[in-house]
Amino acid sequence: MNRTAVRTIPFFNYPALFARQREEIMSTVERVFSAGKLILQEDLEQFEANLAQYLGVKHAFGVSNGTDGLLIALMASGVEKGAEVIMPSHTFIATGAAVHYAGATPVLADCRDDHLIDPQSVREKVTNRTKAIVPVQLNGRTCEMDALHEIADEYGLVIVEDAAQGLGSEYRGRKAGTFGRAAMFSFYPAKVLGCFGDGGGVVTDDNHVADRIKTLRNHGRMDDGDVSGWCFNSRLDNVQAALLDLKLASFQHEVRRRRQIAAVYQERLEGIEELRLPPGPRTDPRHFDVYQNYEVEAGQRDELREHLTANGVHTILQWGGKAIHHFPGLGFKVDLPVTERIIERSFLLPMNTSLTDDDVDYICELINAFYRG
Ligand SMILES: Cc1ncc(COP(=O)(O)O)c(C=O)c1O
């Protein structure tokens, strides 16, 4: 590779991904719009059925976005006013907002070296008001679900998954989204399965919870015309569902390519002492990761990011570089040492299927040159 040729590698390349599927996307939009099928129509039902089948769950529902989806999943699972809900601090603010708007109090736990919630820290946070655990299936990896189930069983807690970043990931052969009473997925455009605007999904195996989700997302309206109570308008647009269904068909390809890129990052960067990489695709046979993000911890992080930016490679800090307890207005006072270390040292390298092999090679060379000269 010619080291002097600077490339431009955006963190995420929406136009390139659109261009790749332009014809199919435009003909889907044309079909849906010209049929005038916009809200709660067949494309949504079809996508919900395909998502449920892919996951092996009984019920899937499209909702407006992942945040609403988690709120609805929590409410439908019986989380209510006065409850405490244990969740990680290293997550998007939306996880805490959903817990808050369900009427409960978010209780923040620490994470482990793989950046996911630490079951030991969860155990230490359980009180007699704890009602639920929200594991966040972060960066396309599923949490240590055996240990979390053990705690949930011991204290009679409900598990509701924030699988916004976890679609397709597995733990002991079981897919994220199938471990809790209910689970949420985000279809935000940059997700492994992303739509063309906001979108989300809620899934469950429980018929009663499914009925609640279905009415909660649609004004409480029930099949018999009655209303179940004060609810939301949080439906996934039919056109977004049709586009998601189109992308679901090539989802495995998306995952395979991300895992390939992660393997190259690992191979090319793992000898660098100053870096702590995410677990590689074949590091732990219990986990199948889909690499929604590639979050590395780095010595001299800010200088490394500057070096990458100066050479055309755009990186970002997850959540803008703050865990939930870092926002003073939210009033948390907690001691979470692993989370502190992660927030201080980590950033996201580009990870998406618009990256070419040469792009990944270029990024790895820049990082090697930064540390090794
Ligand atoms: C971990 C996590 N939780 C919740 C959300 C919220 O999803 P949405 O943006 O679809 O509302 C996101 C999305 O970005 C996320 O990454």
Side-chain angles (χ1 to χ4, degrees):
M1 190 181 74
N2 179 0
R3 275 176 182 248
T4 54
V6 172
R7 290 168 177 251
T8 300
I9 304 181
F11 182 73
F12 201 88
N13 194 339
Y14 293 116
L17 292 172
F18 172 64
R20 202 166 65 191
Q21 268 193 305
R22 186 177 222 286
E23 264 175 42
E24 290 157 288
I25 291 167
M26 294 317 289
S27 70
T28 301
V29 171
E30 169 84 35
R31 174 180 64 72
V32 172
F33 283 6
S34 44
K37 302 243 164 135
L38 303 178
I39 296 197
L40 295 179
Q41 298 291 324
E42 292 91 338
D43 294 286
L44 176 62
E45 283 169 20
Q46 184 66 51
F47 171 62
E48 289 172 339
N50 287 338
L51 180 64
Q53 189 188 31
Y54 168 74
L55 292 167
V57 293
K58 275 202 218 156
H59 309 278
F61 299 96
V63 290
S64 296
N65 55 71
T67 313
D68 276 13
L70 186 57
L71 171 60
I72 288 171
L74 287 162
M75 291 173 73
S77 301
V79 171
E80 49 195 19
K81 208 165 183 277
E84 289 179 359
V85 174
I86 303 174
M87 51 170 274
S89 186
H90 182 36
T91 182
F92 190 35
I93 190 72
T95 314
V99 170
H100 171 82
Y101 280 108
T105 304
V107 173
L108 303 178
D110 210 353
C111 29
R112 302 189 315 181
D113 283 345
D114 68 355
H115 297 195
L116 276 74
I117 198 166
D118 179 357
Q120 185 51 38
S121 175
V122 171
R123 184 177 280 284
E124 287 161 14
K125 306 275 172 178
V126 174
T127 71
N128 54 13
R129 290 204 295 152
T130 308
K131 170 76 185 176
I133 305 170
V134 175
V136 176
Q137 318 292 23
L138 192 71
N139 295 333
R141 181 174 174 88
T142 307
C143 300
E144 189 71 53
M145 295 308 301
D146 282 353
L148 294 174
H149 272 147
E150 206 176 283
I151 299 166
D153 290 347
E154 197 175 323
Y155 295 99
L157 310 178
V158 173
I159 289 182
V160 178
E161 292 168 71
D162 177 339
Q165 300 193 0
L167 186 67
S169 70
E170 295 176 20
Y171 173 78
R172 289 191 191 277
R174 203 167 144 185
K175 287 193 167 64
T178 67
F179 292 94
R181 185 171 292 175
M184 165 280 270
F185 295 100
S186 168
F187 304 128
Y188 181 84
K191 298 297 191 230
V192 182
L193 182 68
C195 59
F196 293 81
D198 277 312
V202 185
V203 303
T204 184
D205 253 339
D206 181 311
N207 295 341
H208 173 69
V209 173
D211 285 346
R212 292 275 299 140
I213 294 167
K214 195 171 170 197
T215 56
L216 275 164
R217 76 158 177 188
N218 188 29
H219 303 287
R221 298 172 80 182
M222 299 190 292
D223 292 343
D224 64 4
D226 200 1
V227 157
S228 65
W230 301 117
C231 292
F232 309 107
N233 176 0
S234 183
R235 303 169 302 220
L236 179 65
D237 290 342
N238 198 57
V239 70
Q240 298 290 1
L243 293 168
L244 283 164
D245 212 34
L246 175 68
K247 287 180 135 196
L248 188 59
S250 54
F251 182 69
Q252 299 297 2
H253 171 75
E254 177 81 27
V255 168
R256 209 173 309 124
R257 176 65 183 149
R258 281 173 182 260
R259 284 173 58 81
Q260 240 173 32
I261 294 169
V264 176
Y265 275 144
Q266 191 191 16
E267 193 188 308
R268 299 283 312 277
L269 304 176
E270 75 181 337
I272 302 176
E273 247 177 50
E274 294 87 341
L275 289 183
R276 185 195 286 265
L277 304 175
R282 275 172 284 277
T283 305
D284 180 344
R286 295 171 312 159
H287 287 271
F288 180 87
D289 299 346
V290 299
Y291 296 94
Q292 166 61 57
N293 296 313
Y294 198 81
E295 189 170 47
V296 300
E297 291 179 50
Q300 297 170 263
R301 178 198 59 189
D302 297 342
E303 292 83 351
L304 172 60
R305 289 189 68 218
E306 274 166 29
H307 170 71
L308 290 169
T309 307
N311 286 283
V313 176
H314 296 270
T315 64
I316 62 171
L317 300 181
Q318 193 149 220
W319 340 120
K322 285 190 170 76
I324 289 192
H325 70 282
H326 291 143
F327 295 103
L330 299 177
F332 289 101
K333 287 196 175 47
V334 279
D335 184 23
L336 306 172
V338 180
T339 303
E340 298 305 345
R341 186 199 79 209
I342 290 169
I343 293 294
E344 212 177 286
R345 290 169 46 92
S346 69
F347 73 106
L348 304 182
L349 284 176
M351 170 54 83
N352 61 75
T353 54
S354 71
L355 294 172
T356 63
D357 290 348
D358 283 350
D359 290 337
V360 182
D361 199 40
Y362 175 72
I363 295 168
C364 293
E365 283 218 9
L366 287 174
I367 297 174
N368 271 288
F370 177 78
Y371 286 116
R372 292 172 167 161

